[in-house]
Amino acid sequence: MAAFLGACSSTPTAPAQGTAAGAGAGSVPGTGAGAGPGQAGAGQSAPAPSQNLLGEMPPAAPREFRAAWVSTVANIDWPSKSSLPPSRQQAEVIAILDRAKALHLNAIVLQVRPSADAIYPSKLEPWSEFLTGQQGKAPEPAWDPLAFWINQAHARGMELHAWFNPYRARHSAARTPNAPGHVANAKPQVVRQYGKMQWMDPGEEAAAQHTLDVILDVVRRYDIDGVHIDDYFYPYPIEAPGANGGEAALDAPSNGNKPELEFPDHAAWQRYQQGGGTLDRASWRRQNVNQLIEAIYGGIRKEKSWVRFGISPFGIGRPDRRPPGIQGFSQYDKLYADAELWLQNGWLDYLAPQLYWPIAQQPQAFPVLLDYWLGQNKRGRHIWPGLYTSRIDDSVKSFTAEEIVQQVGVTRSRPNVNGHIHFSMAALMQNRKGVSDQLKAASYQGPALVPASPWLGSEAPPAPTVSVKRHASGLAVALGNAQRATHVAIWARYGEEWRFNVVPSHRGEVVLTDDNGVPARGVVVSAVDRLGNESPRVAAAL
């Protein structure tokens, strides 16, 4: 949309320039002076401390998925402008990741396929014009943006989830012609014009296969932590004969009775009927989408069992299951997205419903909708709601920063919710109305591990080795034997207080600096693998 309202806005906002590079750097008592995350190695310092905790032994490591979407479509989040030189684009990547790390986020959901195009070298789809200024034009000098994002995120101990738009073939913000290899030219029989955009027809098997091939190509070639798709299945309906659709879905109190332009899938529908199909048209459309979701999940499992699959549907569920009082746009009837079925069948690892309304807006109340999705989650998958942080703006419908902080609090009040995703990173980069400051102070006082996904595997990695020695300015912690681990969780004891940190497993040494002359007197460490499984703890004292 709606989904990412910004992702369909014609007036995108870009990250503020120069605001986040090096954010969080500097000496932090008890944690080390902090060289750049991209230069990890022996002697590097740990990130900022979390809340202080008392007790003879530290508690369990904090767990929460804290992420932000980074939109590339229409240059909403990155790059700030198309056709910037690679050096500027790379600087913006580092600024975004440094700000995310300083806020204690632990994942980025990066849009790698805005409209059947790519922000990485691909034999299947052309380079995106939002990256290079012209569709099909390669970056000069050559570089691989997705590989850069992954490497820089992992160097900071953060996950990188690759976000794909499954069916959109051309965005209304596009300004250059489709390249020869674009699906609209290479497979015109599967592409439909609908309003100001082009869409691959979900009823065409070749369209679904193309999307599946693109996704699995990235899974095979890149060290991503997750695959993510948004809410654009069948397009948001537009008024006949119509302008752009989708923007009104968040605000419409009901589905309305205005005439809608029919999506032009008549050829595929007629073939289905002539082949003996018995479903009605709406059920057939849902079946088309269901088949792709199931194929993506199964395909990922076969390629790399640790790569998680997440979907972020529109936040209001199917009409016949809604709680009393909930009103609004029906993704089930209009987008043909049966997210309830995907949860029921376990075809995803996390659901991020876009709960883009205030807590107190009763027809779309954030807590009520969150509880609805929890009630649909019979297989115990992760529910990590999407927060509309970018609605903090200068409009009459602007959120306050406190609204987002309170929504984080609502998620934490539910025992079966252990994460959330901000749409989008631009709002956090710009610190709109102080939202980043408030989140850092009230919600993200320290780092957290990504929650485990035991249905994908629960074997813990071996315990690491650890030794400590006095350093000139603190306690040097030498780490080893981090087999099968991506992170090392570190509890450090200062006096009677425990403080928590997470570092990438490739770091050989972490220096815990003195806190106003008081050194850390002991540490407890554990290794954490890609699925969040944690090894037995190992303790060491000075």
Side-chain angles (χ1 to χ4, degrees):
M1 151 184 170
F4 301 124
L5 262 198
C8 61
S9 170
S10 60
T11 55
T13 54
Q17 294 297 309
T19 58
S27 180
V28 181
T31 61
Q39 305 166 358
Q44 295 262 331
S45 307
S50 68
Q51 68 278 12
N52 300 335
L53 299 165
L54 302 177
E56 284 302 312
M57 288 297 293
R63 299 265 187 168
E64 187 172 55
F65 189 76
R66 302 173 185 166
W69 279 290
V70 172
S71 298
T72 56
V73 68
N75 302 106
I76 291 170
D77 292 294
W78 180 86
S80 60
K81 298 178 181 178
S82 64
S83 74
L84 288 179
S87 60
R88 287 277 304 280
Q89 294 181 351
Q90 291 170 9
E92 290 185 354
V93 173
I94 290 171
I96 289 170
L97 290 172
D98 281 348
R99 173 60 62 86
K101 184 65 176 177
L103 287 174
H104 298 306
L105 304 186
N106 52 28
I108 289 292
V109 183
L110 173 68
Q111 191 174 36
V112 302
R113 187 203 199 202
S115 308
D117 51 1
I119 66 153
Y120 57 91
S122 171
K123 296 180 180 179
L124 300 176
E125 295 190 316
W127 285 100
S128 174
E129 77 168 78
F130 303 119
L131 183 77
T132 65
Q134 180 179 340
Q135 189 179 99
K137 179 183 176 181
E140 297 177 4
W143 72 302
D144 186 335
L146 179 52
F148 187 84
W149 270 97
I150 293 168
N151 292 338
Q152 293 295 321
H154 288 175
R156 290 159 175 76
M158 301 178 67
E159 293 191 348
L160 195 290
H161 293 225
W163 160 22
F164 301 81
N165 187 291
Y167 292 112
R168 188 169 60 211
R170 183 176 174 85
H171 193 272
S172 58
R175 295 294 177 263
T176 65
N178 289 331
H182 186 268
V183 65
N185 292 321
K187 300 176 181 178
Q189 71 277 11
V190 307
V191 174
R192 312 283 178 251
Q193 187 75 35
Y194 187 70
K196 296 181 180 179
M197 300 195 193
Q198 290 178 335
W199 297 86
M200 288 184 286
D201 185 348
E204 297 287 350
E205 184 177 345
Q209 186 63 50
H210 180 67
T211 290
L212 180 62
D213 290 344
V214 167
I215 291 173
L216 296 183
D217 174 59
V218 170
V219 172
R220 294 183 191 105
R221 292 199 290 130
Y222 290 93
D223 190 24
I224 58 173
D225 300 285
V227 165
H228 185 98
I229 62 173
D230 54 37
D231 58 325
Y232 287 97
F233 300 104
Y234 280 82
Y236 282 82
I238 61 179
E239 297 176 24
N244 212 3
E247 288 88 345
L250 281 180
D251 304 316
S254 65
N255 295 333
N257 298 313
K258 294 182 178 180
E260 296 173 352
L261 184 66
E262 184 73 27
F263 182 70
D265 58 356
H266 317 297
W269 167 240
Q270 289 176 357
R271 286 200 308 274
Y272 171 76
Q273 290 183 306
Q274 291 169 1
T278 59
L279 296 175
D280 61 67
R281 196 163 187 173
S283 299
W284 168 75
R285 286 174 170 173
R286 280 188 289 270
Q287 176 180 263
N288 294 332
V289 177
N290 292 340
Q291 289 171 342
L292 177 62
I293 299 301
E294 183 180 16
I296 292 172
Y297 192 65
I300 294 170
R301 295 282 71 76
K302 291 178 182 178
E303 294 294 337
K304 293 180 180 176
S305 61
W306 62 87
V307 172
R308 281 145 293 156
F309 181 37
I311 307 176
S312 54
F314 190 79
I316 301 175
R318 51 186 290 177
D320 59 340
R321 299 188 186 182
R322 293 178 186 175
I326 291 296
Q327 303 173 17
F329 181 88
S330 171
Q331 67 173 6
Y332 180 82
D333 291 329
K334 301 297 186 179
L335 306 183
Y336 307 99
D338 192 348
E340 290 86 349
L341 179 70
W342 308 337
L343 276 172
Q344 174 185 316
N345 291 345
W347 290 343
L348 44 74
D349 301 306
Y350 66 92
L351 189 80
Q354 296 169 32
L355 305 188
Y356 286 177
W357 302 272
I359 292 171
Q361 186 168 310
Q362 292 187 2
Q364 298 86 28
F366 180 94
V368 177
L369 291 172
L370 179 57
D371 289 339
Y372 168 79
W373 289 110
L374 290 173
Q376 302 298 311
N377 187 27
K378 306 303 184 183
R379 300 286 288 270
R381 299 303 197 240
H382 296 304
I383 303 293
W384 295 332
L387 312 182
Y388 197 7
T389 309
S390 285
R391 183 47 78 97
I392 302 173
D393 54 27
D394 296 324
S395 73
V396 295
K397 298 177 180 178
S398 173
F399 284 3
T400 63
E402 290 78 12
E403 175 72 33
I404 297 300
V405 171
Q406 291 169 10
Q407 290 185 4
V408 171
V410 170
T411 69
R412 292 175 175 176
S413 71
R414 272 53 174 178
N416 295 321
V417 181
N418 52 16
H420 48 271
I421 311 176
H422 295 277
F423 184 80
S424 70
M425 193 65 202
L428 300 178
M429 293 295 288
Q430 296 165 0
N431 193 22
R432 295 183 189 173
K433 299 183 181 179
V435 64
S436 297
D437 294 339
Q438 291 195 38
L439 286 168
K440 180 71 178 290
S443 306
Y444 305 147
Q445 294 175 326
L449 295 174
V450 170
S453 301
W455 55 90
L456 297 179
S458 57
E459 182 182 356
T465 60
V466 58
S467 61
V468 298
K469 62 181 178 180
R470 183 65 189 164
H471 189 274
S473 60
L475 192 66
V477 182
L479 304 167
N481 190 41
Q483 298 177 22
R484 303 198 342 258
T486 53
H487 299 84
V488 176
I490 302 176
W491 286 99
R493 189 172 190 179
Y494 289 82
E496 299 303 314
E497 297 175 344
W498 289 101
R499 302 177 186 178
F500 183 68
N501 276 297
V502 181
V503 299
S505 61
H506 60 253
R507 292 203 183 172
E509 184 175 90
V510 175
V511 176
L512 305 172
T513 61
D514 296 346
D515 185 356
N516 293 323
V518 177
R521 62 186 180 93
V523 298
V524 173
V525 304
S526 56
V528 184
D529 70 11
R530 301 196 71 144
L531 292 177
N533 297 310
E534 188 174 5
S535 77
R537 292 177 168 187
V538 178
L542 184 63

